[in-house]
């Protein structure tokens, strides 16, 4: 294996968390390897919390635009780093331009979007053999024909306790003296991945009645749904949507005792922080992108119409989520009540 590796990382937050399994695997197998990750700027806070990453390189491209000349220019700039190998995790044509322009001797990725010219180690993706995203990432780090390892390392993000205290101080909130339930009611992909806000509110009310704090996590795009949860709890939660950076959200999630979330980037972050996690799946498939954590429980009805992978329910009933009632989530949380009471995020 080459000693100097460039990894072209994914654009989605959740996928970048899963990519840490590949980074950990490569470092375990080749401790002296240098791992640089080329990724969109919004994922760099994640890479900063992954000790396996030696350098994070911002890809200054507008989402959805090809920007061929800019990609070619960046690739030429990367020649000075003298990479021995590139692993291209996204399956797009544009993601393979930079390693090619950088003249990296070995460029590995899956076949897709006519990338044969750009990749000289193109692999055919067998989705049945590699059902999970994390399996596919790991496979690109293996030699051709090599089997997946028996154990795939789980993502493990570092949190900064001092950073969490500073963020709470900025928000005018004291460090919690009671267990904290984190709720992540958003999902950028669309409504078909969002458990109803009133269900989140019911879970919040149950924990508030037990003396817990409840914190609502999300970006500014999730503010409407967190406000709906707040309305259902008489504004008794700490609403963080749009008020924290991704770095701050990582640190604050590390303070939670348990987290209830949709299939989202925050779900993968909570799992990588080893939080007690209940993950609710609707239109997506937990067999494809499950949270990788020993303390994660996935709730999924596996209806005949699931997974549809649609942004909105094509049948108009959203039964995959509406039929997963709050009592089920509370039962999972209650089953580990003793553990939760004895655990405080530090």
């Amino acid at each position: 294996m080459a000693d100097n590796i460039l990894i072209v990382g994914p654009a989605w937050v959740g996928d970048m968390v899963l990519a840490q399994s590949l980074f950990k695997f490569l470092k375990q197998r080749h401790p002296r390897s240098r791992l640089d990750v080329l990724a969109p700027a919004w994922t760099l806070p994640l890479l900063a919390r992954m000790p396996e990453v030696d350098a994070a390189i911002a890809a200054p491209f507008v989402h959805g635009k090809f920007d061929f000349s800019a990609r070619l220019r960046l690739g030429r700039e990367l020649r000075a780093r003298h990479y021995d190998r590139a692993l291209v995790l996204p399956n797009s044509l544009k993601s393979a331009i930079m390693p090619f322009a950088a003249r990296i001797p070995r460029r590995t990725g899956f076949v897709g979007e006519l990338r044969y010219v750009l990749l000289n180690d193109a692999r055919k993706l067998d989705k049945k053999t590699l059902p999970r995203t994390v399996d596919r990432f790991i496979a690109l780090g293996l030699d051709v024909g090599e089997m997946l390892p028996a154990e795939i390392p789980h993502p493990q993000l570092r949190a900064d306790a001092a950073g969490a205290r500073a963020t709470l101080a900025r928000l005018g909130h004291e460090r919690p003296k009671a267990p904290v339930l984190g709720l992540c009611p958003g999902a950028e992909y669309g409504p078909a991945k969002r458990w109803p806000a009133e269900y989140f509110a019911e879970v919040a009310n149950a924990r508030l009645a037990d003396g817990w704090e409840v914190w609502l996590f999300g970006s500014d795009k999730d503010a409407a749904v967190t406000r709906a949860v707040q309305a259902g709890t008489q504004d008794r939660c700490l609403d963080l949507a749009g008020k924290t950076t991704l770095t701050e959200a990582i640190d604050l999630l590390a303070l939670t005792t348990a987290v209830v979330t949709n299939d989202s980037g925050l779900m993968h972050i909570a799992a990588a922080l080893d939080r007690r996690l209940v993950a609710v799946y609707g239109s997506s498939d937990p067999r494809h992108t499950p949270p990788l954590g020993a303390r994660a429980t996935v709730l999924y009805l596996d209806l005949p119409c699931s997974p549809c992978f649609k942004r909105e329910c094509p049948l108009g009933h959203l039964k995959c989520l509406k039929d997963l009632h709050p009592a089920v989530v509370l039962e999972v949380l209650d089953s580990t009540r003793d553990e939760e009471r004895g655990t405080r995020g530090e």
Side-chain angles (χ1 to χ4, degrees):
M1 172 66 75
D3 290 328
N4 198 13
I5 305 171
L6 175 68
I7 299 174
V8 181
W12 292 97
V13 167
D15 285 351
M16 186 60 82
V17 174
L18 294 177
Q20 192 188 12
S21 291
L22 170 63
F23 308 156
K24 290 168 71 71
F25 171 75
L26 291 173
K27 283 291 189 178
Q28 289 171 4
R29 179 173 278 198
H30 307 281
R32 293 189 298 172
S33 290
R34 176 180 175 85
L35 299 183
D36 291 357
V37 180
L38 175 64
W42 57 84
T43 66
L44 298 193
L46 290 170
L47 297 174
R49 299 307 180 89
M50 299 178 183
E52 303 80 16
V53 175
D54 293 292
I57 305 169
F61 309 122
V62 177
H63 182 65
K65 290 191 176 182
F66 197 79
D67 286 335
F68 177 76
S69 60
R71 293 175 191 275
L72 198 63
R73 184 166 56 252
L74 176 58
R76 289 170 176 164
E77 293 173 359
L78 291 175
R79 291 177 190 174
R81 297 181 180 242
H82 303 292
Y83 292 111
D84 302 293
R85 185 179 181 186
L87 303 180
V88 183
L89 303 192
N91 291 329
S92 62
L93 174 64
K94 59 188 179 184
S95 62
I97 295 172
M98 290 78 71
F100 177 81
R103 297 178 180 171
I104 299 174
R106 186 179 179 188
R107 304 179 299 279
T108 303
F110 289 116
V111 173
E113 290 195 1
L114 302 176
R115 305 196 299 177
Y116 295 100
V117 175
L118 303 179
L119 300 175
N120 56 11
D121 181 21
R123 314 278 183 87
K124 184 176 180 180
L125 174 60
D126 185 341
K127 294 183 179 180
K128 291 184 178 180
T129 303
L130 303 172
R132 302 185 304 173
T133 295
V134 69
D135 299 330
R136 298 170 188 179
F137 290 165
I138 294 288
L140 292 177
L142 301 172
D143 292 329
V144 175
E146 188 177 358
M147 300 293 292
L148 287 174
E151 293 187 9
I152 290 177
H154 288 174
Q156 292 177 299
L157 296 176
R158 294 181 299 190
D160 183 350
R165 289 193 296 270
T167 300
L168 288 173
R170 176 177 65 79
L171 296 171
H173 193 83
E174 295 183 359
R175 184 176 175 83
K177 298 180 177 63
V180 177
L181 174 65
L183 298 181
C184 307
E188 186 174 347
Y189 186 72
K193 290 180 71 172
R194 298 182 196 135
W195 203 44
E198 58 268 28
Y199 288 9
F200 275 104
E202 187 172 333
V203 171
N205 284 327
R207 278 297 178 261
L208 288 166
D210 288 340
W212 288 46
E213 290 190 29
V214 178
W215 296 354
L216 309 178
F217 291 86
S219 69
D220 54 354
K221 297 178 181 178
D222 302 317
V225 69
T226 59
R227 284 196 299 269
V229 176
Q230 274 283 55
T233 63
Q234 294 74 52
D235 294 327
R236 291 182 294 161
C237 303
L238 174 62
D239 190 351
L240 299 167
K243 299 175 183 176
T244 63
T245 64
L246 182 55
T247 298
E248 291 170 335
I250 293 170
D251 294 336
L252 292 178
L253 272 169
L255 295 182
T256 62
T257 302
V259 179
V260 178
T261 175
N262 299 314
D263 173 19
S264 65
L266 288 174
M267 175 193 74
H268 290 289
I269 290 173
L273 292 169
D274 196 30
R275 298 300 85 196
R276 180 70 184 111
L277 175 66
V278 181
V280 181
Y281 277 74
S283 65
S284 54
D285 190 348
R287 292 159 294 201
H288 180 52
T289 54
L292 299 182
R295 305 175 67 203
T297 298
V298 169
L299 297 179
Y300 177 60
L301 293 179
D302 199 16
L303 300 178
C305 56
S306 301
C308 68
F309 298 108
K310 301 296 185 181
R311 294 181 182 271
E312 298 188 17
C313 176
L315 301 178
H317 53 59
L318 201 63
K319 290 175 68 67
C320 60
L321 289 172
K322 290 184 176 179
D323 286 359
L324 263 173
H325 299 291
V328 179
V329 171
L330 288 168
E331 182 179 356
V332 174
L333 292 175
D334 289 342
S335 69
T336 56
R337 184 179 293 268
D338 291 342
E339 174 193 346
E340 292 165 3
R341 281 178 173 171
T343 303
R344 294 289 190 273
E346 295 297 329

